[in-house]
Every structure is written in structure tokens, then in C-alpha cells.
Amino acid sequence: MKLLEYYKHDIGQLQLVPSGGGKFEVTVDDEQVFSKLETDRFPEYEEVKSAIEALIAG
């Protein structure tokens, strides 16, 4: 939820999609920025924030 507060003026839509099998993925504009299935761990906040900022910067 920290991301929502930080990007409250930049996020047009946030969608949480339930799934199973240990899947936890973060996708921004159809580009995956984190996958728990690939890393076998949950992301740190700063890790996701940095990935989002990199996409925004282009």
C-alpha cells in the first residue's frame, strides 16, 4: 500500500488478481517487474519501487 500512497497521482488503475500455486507477480503496463515464481521470494518494497521508477523514466 506504500506504493499507492507514493504514486497516488500517477496510478490510474491498480488491479489485484487472485491466483494459486505460490504465484506473486508485479506487472506495470503489461511488463512484468517481479515474479516470485522466478526468484522464490517476495520482493522488497524498494525493489518494486525502483523497477516502477525505471519504467517511468523510460
Side-chain angles (χ1 to χ4, degrees):
M1 292 316 206
K2 287 168 65 173
L3 287 172
L4 282 177
E5 181 62 29
Y6 187 81
Y7 291 108
K8 64 185 169 189
H9 299 292
D10 301 310
I11 294 176
Q13 177 182 9
L14 173 72
Q15 183 176 23
L16 299 175
V17 181
S19 66
K23 185 177 180 180
F24 181 89
E25 297 180 333
V26 179
T27 305
V28 177
D29 292 335
D30 296 323
E31 185 168 336
Q32 183 175 300
V33 297
F34 183 86
S35 171
K36 180 181 175 274
L37 292 177
E38 291 177 8
T39 61
D40 199 33
R41 64 179 179 79
F42 283 100
E44 297 292 328
Y45 167 75
E46 286 296 327
E47 183 177 14
V48 173
K49 184 175 172 275
S50 295
I52 292 170
E53 287 175 349
L55 282 175
I56 291 171

